[in-house]
Every structure is written in C-alpha cells, then in structure tokens.
Amino acid sequence: MKKVDHIGIAVRDITNALPHYIDTLGLTLLGIEEVENQKVKVAFIDAGNVKLELLEPIGEEGAIAKFIEKRGEGIHHIAFGVTDIRKRMLELKEKGVHLLQEEPNVGAGGADVAFLHPKSSFGVLYELCDKGDKPNGHL
Ligand code: CMX
C-alpha cells in the first residue's frame, strides 16, 4: 500500500454538509454521483494531497445508512489507491486478512473497489481502489 486516495466520511445529507467543506474550509468540489450498488450518493472533494468522499445513504438499507444509524456521522473508511486489485486482494488474503468480497465491486467513477473487514484492521474499515485506465476513476 503506497498512497491514500481518499477518506470516506458518512453524512446524512450532502447538500447540508457541502457548504462546510467548500465555503468554510475553502476546498474544491470535484463532482457528485450515485453509486447504486452501494446505495450511496457521493461527493468527491479535493483536499490537496488526498480526496474526501462524502457519503450520503440512499434509502434506509446499505452500509452507510446502517453506519449512521449506529454511530452517527463521521469518518467511515480510508481508501488506498492500488493497481492490480485482484493481486492485492489475493496477497492480503494469503496474509490472513478478512476481505469483505471475493471479487471487486464497481465503485464511484467506475473504479474497482474492495473492502477489508474492520475487525482485520484494528477497528478501521479500509478500501482498496483501482482506477485502472478509467479516466474518471474516483473523479
Ligand atoms: N469502521 C470501523 N468499524 C466499523 C465500521 C466502520 N466503517 N462499520 C462497522 N464497523 C464495526 C462495527 O462497529 C461492529 O463492531 P462491533 O461488533 O465491535 O460492534 C462491526 O464492525 C460489525 O458492524 P455492524 O454494524 O454489525 O455492520 P455490518 O457487519 O452489517 O457491516 C461492514 C459492517 C464493514 C462489514 C459493512 O459496512 C461493509 O460490508 N462495508 C463495505 C462496503 C461499504 O462500506 N460501502 C459503503 C462505501 C461505498 C463507497 O465508498 O462508494
């Protein structure tokens, strides 16, 4: 793992949260999109050396809705940018890490993504994200 690509932050409502990041903190909005298979709407924000991903639940099911219900708004995950995600997943699996899926999912911007169970990572949910040759991978 060489580089953090983004930090995921669960929010109830992106529209309410955005002015804090853009107007108050002076950061730049890169784009907003829905990731249906994860039941979230996401906003990517340029924070210089890293991006912030605001995650708003779509509906009452899905990981973000559940997270907010149990723990409230706040930092949800840290995503490492990787290449060759399947190889990385296999390496981690061989080292005993509990991955949350066998195959990568399609995440924001068409990137391939996979998650490590927080119980395997001392309480932190980590994501691997592989933008491959997708021009807008994670915006
Ligand atoms: N960070 C750290 N710990 C977390 C966590 C998080 N984001 N989410 C859950 N946990 C912990 C819980 O506190 C709980 O711990 P305890 O047993 O000690 O109470 C444990 O993990 C199990 O959590 P849970 O609330 O019972 O929730 P689930 O088991 O149903 O799901 C998880 C947890 C991580 C497996 C699930 O959220 C998941 O599969 N996540 C991967 C996909 C995802 O997060 N998608 C949203 C982001 C999409 C995007 O970035 O585009």
Side-chain angles (χ1 to χ4, degrees):
M1 259 20 100
K2 287 193 178 154
K3 190 171 173 241
V4 172
D5 181 80
H6 65 267
I7 298 170
I9 300 169
V11 297
R12 289 194 175 84
D13 186 329
I14 280 177
T15 307
N16 282 346
L18 265 184
H20 175 68
Y21 289 91
I22 308 311
D23 304 332
T24 308
L25 300 181
L27 303 175
T28 304
L29 176 65
L30 296 171
I32 296 180
E33 68 175 284
E34 290 193 2
V35 185
E36 296 226 355
N37 67 16
Q38 297 288 331
K39 298 189 168 54
V40 284
K41 180 166 138 186
V42 303
F44 275 93
I45 294 167
D46 183 355
N49 57 339
V50 72
K51 281 168 280 180
L52 304 180
E53 180 191 29
L54 303 185
L55 299 139
E56 173 189 319
I58 297 175
E60 290 169 12
E61 300 190 1
I64 299 302
K66 192 170 175 189
F67 179 88
I68 290 177
E69 189 188 321
K70 279 182 84 171
R71 298 163 68 137
E73 295 176 305
I75 293 180
H76 178 260
H77 67 264
I78 295 175
F80 289 109
V82 300
T83 54
D84 207 344
I85 190 167
R86 283 185 172 77
K87 188 170 165 219
R88 297 270 165 256
M89 290 170 72
L90 192 60
E91 286 167 358
L92 290 170
K93 212 171 160 184
E94 283 170 0
K95 289 178 180 174
V97 174
H98 177 183
L99 291 158
L100 284 163
Q101 64 269 337
E102 293 292 322
E103 286 291 315
N105 294 325
V106 178
D112 291 330
V113 302
F115 290 85
L116 282 54
H117 198 291
K119 296 286 178 197
S120 276
S121 301
F122 299 89
V124 178
L125 177 62
Y126 284 106
E127 175 187 326
L128 310 178
C129 82
D130 182 349
K131 298 174 203 172
D133 56 3
K134 299 165 191 78
N136 296 318
H138 278 303
L139 306 167

